[in-house]
């Protein structure tokens, strides 16, 4: 058998890499074309492979896969002409391939082969059916959850911020509030459910209180930490220039502590979202938590999975919005603070 010269092999590999890089520079997105081909294969899989139990919206799911493939082909063919859209799509190219493979595997083990039994495991078609046929009830639940979360998160973040600034600045306030925080703060907000529903006149107000309580503790702790860790030289310089205590708090302490405050806001958002679902399951007449309980009661597992998907997207979207607010608020600290 003839041996292959390693030098020739290395040159061939380097030539292939240069060719691929040249295509990328020329505007041809090879990875995007590969992702489009995989999505076309997913559409063919959905349409041509018979289902064990016929399900609606299979053709619509195949059309969605073809639309994704068409979008990838357009981005691959137009290069950077689409601006930010092209840049974002190219960045998530590997994820688009992974998503196609996940959908294909999901389709095979549920609708095509039945390896995962129905109704406990839903196929992609059944999830799509929920969005098409039950969008009214699901959309109303999302709206009520957003309103409830916004109220609780706002009041909790405000209370946590004010409390954190107070105990971080005042030693007397820290002396009295710190032991209370250490005693009550670590307790999960859901532990207060019976007491909250007894004290507050409506289940909605009790839910707002529980969400605010879950938000306030991490915001308080991180704000307090941020105020306490401000460099004392900043205060000395400001006092030398004649700054009053109000100026030191509003113009020195709070701006310097904002990175810590946003960490607390991120933590509070995660905990408040968990409390939101539990509170809606127990007392609220609408919302995603209520929708989950309703779906479980009727063994409508496809509705339950659709609600879980919506909740994941909702939480991810809120975190993205908070990231944008943080970047805009702390733009003056760019280059000084590392995330």
């Amino acid at each position: 058998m003839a041996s292959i010269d390693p030098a020739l092999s290395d040159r061939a590999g380097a030539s292939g890499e240069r060719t691929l890089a040249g295509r990328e520079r020329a505007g041809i997105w090879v990875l995007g074309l590969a992702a489009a081909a995989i999505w076309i294969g997913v559409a063919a899989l959905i349409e041509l492979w018979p289902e064990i139990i016929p399900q609606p919206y299979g053709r619509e799911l195949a059309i969605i896969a073809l639309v994704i493939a068409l979008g990838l082909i357009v981005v691959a063919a137009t290069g950077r002409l689409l601006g930010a859209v092209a840049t974002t799509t190219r960045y998530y190219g590997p994820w688009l391939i992974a998503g196609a493979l996940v959908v294909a595997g999901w389709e095979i083990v549920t609708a095509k082969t039945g390896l995962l039994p129905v109704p406990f495991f839903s196929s992609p078609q059944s999830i799509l059916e929920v969005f098409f046929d039950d969008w009214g009830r699901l959309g109303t639940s999302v709206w009520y959850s957003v309103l409830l979360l916004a109220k609780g998160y706002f009041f909790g973040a405000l209370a946590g911020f004010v409390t954190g600034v107070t105990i971080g600045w005042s030693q007397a306030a820290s002396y009295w509030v710190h032991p209370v925080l250490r005693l009550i703060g670590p307790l999960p907000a859901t532990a207060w459910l019976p007491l909250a529903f007894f004290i507050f006149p409506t289940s909605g107000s009790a839910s707002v209180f529980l969400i605010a309580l879950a938000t306030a503790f991490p915001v308080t702790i991180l704000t307090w930490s941020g105020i306490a860790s401000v460099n004392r030289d900043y205060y000395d310089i400001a006092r030398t220039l004649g700054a009053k205590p109000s100026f030191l708090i509003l113009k020195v302490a709070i701006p310097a502590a904002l990175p810590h405050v946003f960490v607390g806001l991120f933590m509070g958002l995660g905990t408040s979202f968990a409390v939101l679902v539990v509170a809606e399951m127990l007392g609220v007449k609408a919302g995603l938590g209520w929708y989950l309980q309703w779906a479980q009661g009727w063994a409508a597992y496809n509705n339950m999975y659709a609600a879980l998907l919506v909740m994941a997207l909702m939480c991810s979207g809120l975190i993205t919005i908070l990231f944008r607010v943080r970047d805009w608020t702390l733009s003056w600290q760019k280059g000084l603070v590392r995330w």
Side-chain angles (χ1 to χ4, degrees), residues 149 152-153 156-157 185-190 207 209-220 263-279 315 319 322:
L149 182 65
Y153 186 74
L187 297 177
T190 52
S207 300
F209 167 76
L210 292 172
I211 295 170
L213 184 62
T215 305
F217 178 67
V219 175
T220 300
V263 174
L265 290 173
F266 281 110
M267 295 176 62
L269 182 60
T271 55
S272 64
F273 202 86
V275 174
L276 166 73
V277 176
V278 175
C315 187
I319 291 176
L322 190 56

Side-chain angles (χ1 to χ4, degrees), residues 133-153:
D133 294 347
D134 201 31
W135 63 269
R137 182 183 301 152
L138 186 57
T140 302
S141 298
V142 171
W143 174 246
Y144 276 99
S145 291
V146 169
L147 288 180
L148 184 60
L149 182 65
K151 293 177 184 178
Y153 186 74

Side-chain angles (χ1 to χ4, degrees), residues 169-203:
W169 181 261
S170 171
Q171 292 184 355
S174 177
Y175 174 82
W176 289 105
V177 178
H178 184 206
V180 177
L181 286 177
R182 294 186 64 178
L183 181 65
I184 299 178
L187 297 177
T190 52
W192 300 94
L193 275 170
L195 188 61
F197 282 112
F198 176 77
I199 294 176
F200 289 89
T202 63
S203 58

Side-chain angles (χ1 to χ4, degrees), residues 28-54:
I28 301 175
W29 184 31
V30 179
L31 187 65
L33 294 177
I38 296 175
W39 277 105
I40 292 173
V42 172
L45 169 71
I46 297 171
E47 186 67 20
L48 301 179
W49 190 342
E51 300 166 351
I52 293 181
I53 300 176

